[in-house]
Amino acid sequence: MTEPLILADPAPPRRPRIPRLLQQTAFRRYWSAQTVSLFGDQITMLAVPLLAVLAIGAGPAEMGYLTAAALLPNLFFSLPAGAWVDRHPHRRQVMIIADLGRAGLLLAVPLLWWADALNLPLLCVVAFLIGTMSVFFEVAHSSLFAALVRRPDYVDANSLVNGSRAMSYVAGPSIGGVLVQVLTAPVALVADVLTYLTSAVLLTRIRVTERSARSGPGLGMAAGVRYVARSAVLRAILLGTTTLNLFNYMFAALFVLYVTTELDVSPGLLGLIIGAGAFGGLLGAAVTGPISRRIGIGPAVILGLVVFPAPLILVPLAGGPRPLVLALLITAEFVSALGVMVLDIAAGSVQTAATPETMLALVSGFKRTVNYGIRPVGALIGGGLGTAIGVRSALWIASLGALLGVLWVVFSPLRTMRKLPEE
């Protein structure tokens, strides 16, 4: 007599695997706060200029003033803010206050508009103050990151945060555009206020033991400059990225002009091309961890310093049939954005690991001062070169010159660095 056939229970469907770090409550709340805040930044970057144009009637010069007002705090306050934050015992509180400050400032804009009291000088003041709050948020977040994440997990944690950043570049402007279209620019800012309030609430719910504040003589702003200057690793990263930024902003100052006038690309197509770059950033955030484990964290920094600028050579090279031109432009944006993420994640992880926890905000502030300070210089040089020798020739110089940044790192300890350095 044959025994009855017993059918095995079907295997349960696999659940999507949640990254290990996101299974930790404190890090998940930190990452969620960062993600929401990044989306808020992108909405603000679109809604405030649109408000200036649509509600105030700002022209090109006025838009220049507004942009400068938002960027100047990075140049003026990054280093002092880093020195102050490192002496402050509660960095998480600094981030919460920065979020609440940004929310309050943004809420004031539609209130002034509804009261018919909004003008360009007031909007510039608000942009400057929001930029200042953002500086404090950014320099404080590096210290909170180190308190929440174990050293071996720096690359994976930075990949998650930068993945959110890349996603905000994809979806943030789209969300902002829809909000402005449906609700008008002033009301869109009210929705943006909610992103900063949500970030503040998430940060208040994090339970973390923060390191003690540093104190003592000789620990002011100059200490951060001296530490970076004496560290072969930090010095090489700073010089390499600053060189790249100089030439990259020469390139950025001319890119839209060249693509729209010389290559006859419409604004709609240009938006799609830039959107392709955002998706390249998402891929870069996903592959940086495996790449750095396979080739080493130092070589990953070198790879990022090459893969970021090298594809931009395709822009001045573009020519011929229209499909070929568009293919070259999309490839340039996609691969370059992938390289940006590899560089940001790998270099950011090395910088955090190579810096004493008592100086993280200060070193971060010094880095922001130099990197943001060189950007307008690059833009001015790019504009001057484009006028003197032609836009296409200037783009060739900018795209090839950006590759010089890798030389600072190739001849440094990073070339053979397999794992994250000790402090």
Side-chain angles (χ1 to χ4, degrees):
M1 185 175 179
T2 58
E3 295 184 4
L5 179 64
I6 300 177
L7 297 177
D9 291 334
R14 286 187 175 183
R15 295 181 179 180
R17 186 169 176 268
I18 299 175
R20 177 176 52 81
L21 284 169
L22 293 183
Q23 296 174 22
Q24 302 171 12
T25 302
F27 180 82
R28 184 170 66 249
R29 289 172 178 168
Y30 159 82
W31 173 80
S32 300
Q34 281 286 99
T35 301
V36 173
S37 182
L38 288 166
F39 272 85
D41 290 343
Q42 291 298 312
I43 296 172
T44 301
M45 286 175 62
L46 181 67
V48 169
L50 283 175
L51 177 66
V53 172
L54 300 176
I56 300 177
E62 289 82 4
M63 293 304 292
Y65 300 148
L66 182 61
T67 302
L71 291 175
L72 281 175
N74 291 286
L75 180 59
F76 292 152
F77 300 141
S78 292
L79 189 54
W84 181 82
V85 167
D86 272 334
R87 291 177 179 272
H88 195 280
H90 304 295
R91 291 84 179 174
R92 185 168 55 96
Q93 281 186 2
V94 174
M95 296 174 68
I96 293 169
I97 292 170
D99 269 336
L100 295 176
R102 290 187 288 187
L105 288 164
L106 277 177
L107 185 59
V109 174
L111 293 178
L112 288 168
W113 178 75
W114 284 322
D116 200 24
L118 185 64
N119 54 40
L120 187 73
L122 276 176
L123 195 59
C124 285
V125 170
V126 170
F128 181 84
L129 293 175
I130 289 175
T132 302
M133 293 289 178
S134 296
V135 167
F136 279 89
F137 184 94
E138 289 297 326
V139 298
H141 117 264
S142 59
S143 298
L144 182 60
F145 177 92
L148 285 168
V149 181
R150 298 182 311 117
R151 182 179 295 264
D153 293 330
Y154 280 176
V155 172
D156 290 339
N158 271 316
S159 296
L160 288 169
V161 173
N162 280 278
S164 295
R165 188 182 304 277
M167 182 59 74
S168 74
Y169 293 158
V170 175
S174 301
I175 294 172
V178 170
L179 289 174
V180 172
Q181 181 74 30
V182 175
L183 304 176
T184 73
V187 182
L189 289 177
V190 176
D192 193 10
V193 168
L194 297 178
T195 64
Y196 291 120
L197 292 178
T198 301
S199 174
V201 169
L202 288 167
L203 288 171
T204 60
R205 299 185 63 197
I206 294 175
R207 298 293 174 261
V208 60
T209 302
E210 296 189 66
R211 56 170 173 74
S212 58
R214 66 190 184 95
S215 59
L219 293 176
M221 291 182 284
V225 178
R226 285 195 301 269
Y227 188 82
V228 173
R230 292 170 181 171
S231 167
V233 169
L234 295 179
R235 186 175 65 246
I237 290 176
L238 181 62
L239 290 171
T241 55
T242 301
T243 301
L244 192 156
N245 270 326
L246 172 67
F247 286 99
N248 187 54
Y249 273 77
M250 289 168 56
F251 185 96
L254 301 171
F255 173 73
V256 172
L257 175 65
Y258 179 74
V259 168
T260 54
T261 59
E262 299 291 331
L263 299 182
D264 196 28
V265 174
S266 67
L269 276 176
L270 179 59
L272 292 175
I273 291 166
I274 295 173
F279 284 104
L282 283 173
L283 178 60
V287 303
T288 300
I291 287 175
S292 64
R293 285 188 285 271
R294 177 174 291 273
I295 68 174
I297 191 68
V301 174
I302 293 172
L303 180 67
L305 282 166
V306 174
V307 177
F308 174 9
L312 299 180
I313 296 171
L314 297 176
V315 175
L317 187 66
R322 189 168 184 78
L324 177 60
V325 169
L326 295 178
L328 289 173
L329 294 177
I330 289 172
T331 301
E333 286 292 315
F334 183 90
V335 181
S336 179
L338 188 154
V340 169
M341 283 297 160
V342 174
L343 176 60
D344 283 353
I345 293 169
S349 299
V350 172
Q351 177 179 296
T352 304
T355 305
E357 288 195 17
T358 54
M359 300 182 72
L360 277 168
L362 181 54
V363 169
S364 175
F366 176 51
K367 174 189 170 188
R368 287 175 66 87
T369 300
V370 176
N371 275 322
Y372 278 84
I374 204 67
R375 294 176 182 187
V377 175
L380 290 173
I381 294 174
L385 271 180
T387 303
I389 65 175
V391 174
R392 188 165 182 265
S393 298
L395 285 175
W396 272 113
I397 293 173
S399 54
L400 291 171
L403 288 167
L404 297 174
V406 74
L407 298 179
W408 296 104
V409 178
V410 166
F411 298 104
S412 79
L414 283 155
R415 181 168 51 85
T416 57
M417 183 181 292
R418 299 289 304 175
K419 298 180 180 179
L420 290 173
E422 298 298 325
E423 284 186 8

